[in-house]
Amino acid sequence: MDAALPIAVLSVIIGALIVFIVFGNYFRKRKAEVQSIASTETVEPSRNHNQNQKQSVKTSKKSQSKSHSHSQAADKDTNKKHHSLDLNTLKGHGDSVTGICFSPDARNLATACGDGVLRVFKLDDVTNKSFKFLRINLPAGGHPTAVAFSDDASSVVVACHTLSGSSLYMYGEEKPKATGDSKQQNKLPLPEIKWEHGKVHDKRAILTLAGTKATYGTADGSTVIVSCSEGTDIALWHGRSGKALGHVDTNQLKNTMAAISPDGRFIAAAAFTADVKVWEIVYSKDGSVKEVPKVMQLKGHKSAVTWLCFAPNSEQVITASKDGSIRIWNINVRYHLDEDPKTLKVFPIPLRDAKGTPLHYDRMCLSPDGKILAATHGSTLQWLSTESGQVIDSAEKAHDGEITDMAWSPAPVPIGDKKSVVLATASVDKKVKLWAPPVLPSS
């Protein structure tokens, strides 16, 4: 019994040592694992922080890139700012605008559009954000080429071309019928066709329409409309009745355009040649047209005349030619005594291409006071002084396409709290723009 006791105690001690060693190893491993897990959790946020920093940098770069792109877009918009003379744009046309014309009182602007619609805009204030307009749907199949007012703001003549030829339509307001319906009476009168002529120039298209109140001599003040075809014929029409008043043949292969003097006395045509022919409308005592003889010829250009316009006093004509020059002519001469028209001034056309080659003007239009000549080439618009021939102002990209027509308002129109004449331009870009006149340089 005594010998077995030491052995039992030794066994307990050895067992305790073994248990201590085993549990000691286990707790060291556990501590190491805990330390390992703890150190990993401490590093992970740091790694996430770095990733967040990277992502933040990327986001920042993206935002900077977006901000930069927006800044560039803003810069482009800033660079694409309106020209200083650009007052407003008449939008809403569905196709190329082929013709424009102001009413005699300048309160309305008619536009002929390739979408088959004639629009008459009311110009209460040129700076308005929107404009009221009268919409007139033209006969189906017709492509409007030109427009002119007849007598007053309520009657307008439009030229349309189809495969079968050209037609003229005069639209006027229909008088409201007397009815007891107050609502019906409050409605605005709708336009209706007052007169029309078909195949007025055979199958040839009408290039230009021009109208004026004839006041020269024994003329009765009626509006005379002149239609110029792409052939060689020019026709005269009574604005109110549509009666044919006469016609002339230019005998110059192909017409470019024709114009009538503000007093209704002369007609001049630009055609295929360098010379400009001028006819006089001779009125009878009763105010009707008696005859339209050729009375003079403007000779001096070396190449085809591309456009012309009369001065407000009807005594001068301004011509532009492919020879690179502008000429101002005095036609107030005693032609019946064989006195020839005189060249008053000759200016070089101040327009060059990239190679320096002189360009010609497609269209010209003279301001009501006769001091500013507006001229175009493609989408470029220039304002020139008729006194010096110098460019007063210029808009290289006045439109996003070729300018198809232009006209000065015959009288001042409201521009905010002021009034001034304005220039209207039409284009293939489906827009009509209104421009303020430039300030003339002091002499």
Side-chain angles (χ1 to χ4, degrees), residues 230-250:
E230 62 183 352
T232 62
D233 54 327
I234 297 172
L236 284 70
W237 312 89
H238 190 274
R240 181 174 293 276
S241 67
K243 179 183 176 182
L245 301 177
H247 72 278
V248 297
D249 194 328
T250 60

Side-chain angles (χ1 to χ4, degrees), residues 152-285:
D152 52 36
S154 63
S155 55
V156 60
V157 179
V158 61
C160 290
H161 186 69
T162 63
L163 294 176
S164 60
S166 290
S167 299
L168 287 174
Y169 302 95
M170 197 279 266
Y171 287 88
E173 287 184 353
E174 181 184 5
K175 293 181 180 179
K177 297 178 181 180
T179 63
D181 190 352
S182 59
K183 291 183 179 180
Q184 186 68 25
Q185 289 179 350
N186 291 332
K187 288 184 178 180
L188 292 173
L190 296 175
E192 63 176 8
I193 296 176
K194 297 295 185 179
W195 57 260
E196 63 179 289
H197 290 288
K199 298 183 180 179
V200 292
H201 293 281
D202 296 327
K203 289 191 175 182
R204 294 182 288 272
I206 294 175
L207 300 176
T208 58
L209 274 183
T212 191
K213 284 191 175 182
T215 57
Y216 178 77
T218 58
D220 60 5
S222 297
T223 298
V224 176
I225 303 290
V226 175
S227 61
C228 176
S229 81
E230 62 183 352
T232 62
D233 54 327
I234 297 172
L236 284 70
W237 312 89
H238 190 274
R240 181 174 293 276
S241 67
K243 179 183 176 182
L245 301 177
H247 72 278
V248 297
D249 194 328
T250 60
N251 292 314
Q252 291 179 301
L253 296 179
K254 189 177 181 180
N255 294 336
T256 301
M257 56 81 63
I260 185 170
S261 61
D263 63 359
R265 182 184 181 186
F266 295 115
I267 297 173
F272 189 75
T273 66
D275 299 336
V276 172
K277 293 181 179 180
V278 180
W279 296 264
E280 183 180 15
I281 304 174
V282 180
Y283 297 92
S284 301
K285 289 183 179 180

Side-chain angles (χ1 to χ4, degrees), residues 257-313:
M257 56 81 63
I260 185 170
S261 61
D263 63 359
R265 182 184 181 186
F266 295 115
I267 297 173
F272 189 75
T273 66
D275 299 336
V276 172
K277 293 181 179 180
V278 180
W279 296 264
E280 183 180 15
I281 304 174
V282 180
Y283 297 92
S284 301
K285 289 183 179 180
D286 61 358
S288 61
V289 174
K290 183 179 179 180
E291 59 180 340
V292 192
K294 191 188 85 169
V295 294
M296 66 185 86
Q297 201 158 333
L298 310 181
K299 295 183 177 182
H301 284 294
K302 297 178 181 178
S303 188
V305 173
T306 56
W307 207 264
L308 62 84
C309 56
F310 282 94
N313 62 9

